[in-house]
Amino acid sequence: MRAEEVNLPAREKLIVALDFPTAEAGIEAAEKLRGRVGMFKVGSEVFTAEGPLLARYLIASGEQVFLDLKFHDIPNTVRGACRQAAEMGARMTNVHASGGRKMMEAAAEGAREGRSGAKPLVLAVTLLTSLSAQDLDELGISGAPEDVVVRWSRLAQSAGLDGVVASAREIAAIRRACGPRFVIVTPGIRSAASPSNDQVRTATPRAAMEAGADYLVVGRPITGAPEPAAAADSVVKEMEATAASPGSS
Ligand code: C5P
């Protein structure tokens, strides 16, 4: 679980999202960042276009991969998907908490069944950060978004998952509810100077680390920068500027 995450240097806690339409573009970006970041996130865009090509390439070349496909299906199917993520050698993968307890338990079991070395961390996506209170109302989900996030994080933990993907503003409440060993991975990171793109609820690297995130996910501010390597170094520097000791909570 989180014991090993706490003591990682800041660089190892930076996950770069490779959101590209082709594996070739993802590989090109990753090559510029090799050795400067801890992990690469492979998501549904490039996976839909090219299947596991990019993830397999990165793993074969010694990189850590977060397979971000947000599985949400019947337990048997999700077990199989998580088993395949483990077989592939992914370091992290994820599922929607709204799939319920049995699906999450099956996800954790599947990840343990993979035969390729260490079990990947299985994370829950609670509420998508794009959902508003009105969206929840339309979906018939009761309660304030923050309360739902905490409730579903607790459920994910009790179903045996290792952590959650959560925005910076949710970190403190999840940490209080789920304790110091629960892994929190936080996207929506923007330096004070960089554009927010389509992210609405952003936090700086420093603020997210101080709030208690274990890992940060950063995409376009790094991959879209004129010099991605320099942009990654500057995010790491901001993470290191954290007043609290790394990973403390
Ligand atoms: O380019 P940017 O830094 O906005 O990329 C953030 C990454 O994190 C994207 O791959 C996006 O899919 C993912 N993500 C997010 N918000 C969430 C969950 C995942 O931005 N709530």
Side-chain angles (χ1 to χ4, degrees), residues 133-179:
Q134 190 191 339
D135 291 320
L136 294 195
D137 203 38
E138 277 179 356
L139 288 165
I141 298 172
S142 63
E146 298 72 30
D147 298 337
V148 178
V149 167
V150 168
R151 198 164 79 228
W152 288 7
S153 295
R154 279 205 178 101
L155 177 63
Q157 187 175 38
S158 84
L161 296 201
D162 301 292
V164 285
V165 180
S167 79
R169 72 172 57 180
E170 296 157 351
I171 296 172
I174 295 170
R175 200 43 91 216
R176 267 197 304 278
C178 299

Side-chain angles (χ1 to χ4, degrees), residues 17 19 41 68 70 125 127-130 165 167 187-190 196-199 217-221:
D19 293 320
K41 185 169 85 67
D68 176 23
K70 301 185 180 69
V125 175
L127 288 181
L128 294 171
T129 45
S130 50
V165 180
S167 79
I189 302 298
R190 292 295 180 269
S196 60
N197 307 116
D198 56 347
Q199 294 283 13
V217 176
V218 183
R220 292 161 290 181

Side-chain angles (χ1 to χ4, degrees), residues 15-23 25-27 29-30 33 40-47 54 58 66 68-70 187 190 198-199 217-224:
I15 304 174
V16 174
L18 298 176
D19 293 320
F20 292 105
T22 64
I27 289 169
L33 296 166
F40 292 105
K41 185 169 85 67
V42 173
S44 47
E45 181 180 3
V46 74
F47 201 92
L54 176 58
L58 293 168
F66 173 9
D68 176 23
L69 297 177
K70 301 185 180 69
R190 292 295 180 269
D198 56 347
Q199 294 283 13
V217 176
V218 183
R220 292 161 290 181
I222 292 176
T223 57

Side-chain angles (χ1 to χ4, degrees), residues 22-207:
T22 64
E24 194 186 353
I27 289 169
E28 197 182 311
E31 292 301 347
K32 291 180 187 152
L33 296 166
R34 211 181 257 288
R36 293 189 134 86
V37 306
M39 208 178 304
F40 292 105
K41 185 169 85 67
V42 173
S44 47
E45 181 180 3
V46 74
F47 201 92
T48 302
E50 309 234 32
L53 201 63
L54 176 58
R56 286 197 197 285
Y57 171 88
L58 293 168
I59 292 166
S61 64
E63 298 296 337
Q64 307 243 47
V65 167
F66 173 9
L67 191 64
D68 176 23
L69 297 177
K70 301 185 180 69
F71 301 124
H72 188 177
D73 209 313
I74 58 171
N76 187 56
T77 304
V78 169
R79 175 189 284 112
C82 289
R83 188 190 304 128
Q84 293 305 325
E87 295 266 340
M88 178 190 282
R91 171 83 181 103
M92 286 182 186
T93 191
N94 56 5
V95 303
H96 275 284
S98 55
R101 175 185 296 281
K102 288 195 195 73
M103 191 207 76
M104 288 192 276
E105 287 171 349
E109 282 164 23
R112 279 194 296 271
E113 288 163 6
R115 287 166 301 172
S116 151
K119 178 192 97 66
L121 296 175
V122 184
L123 309 173
V125 175
T126 58
L127 288 181
L128 294 171
T129 45
S130 50
L131 292 173
S132 64
Q134 190 191 339
D135 291 320
L136 294 195
D137 203 38
E138 277 179 356
L139 288 165
I141 298 172
S142 63
E146 298 72 30
D147 298 337
V148 178
V149 167
V150 168
R151 198 164 79 228
W152 288 7
S153 295
R154 279 205 178 101
L155 177 63
Q157 187 175 38
S158 84
L161 296 201
D162 301 292
V164 285
V165 180
S167 79
R169 72 172 57 180
E170 296 157 351
I171 296 172
I174 295 170
R175 200 43 91 216
R176 267 197 304 278
C178 299
R181 291 177 61 83
F182 201 54
V183 176
I184 301 180
V185 176
T186 299
I189 302 298
R190 292 295 180 269
S191 302
S194 61
S196 60
N197 307 116
D198 56 347
Q199 294 283 13
V200 190
R201 300 185 309 186
T202 63
T204 63
R206 177 176 176 159

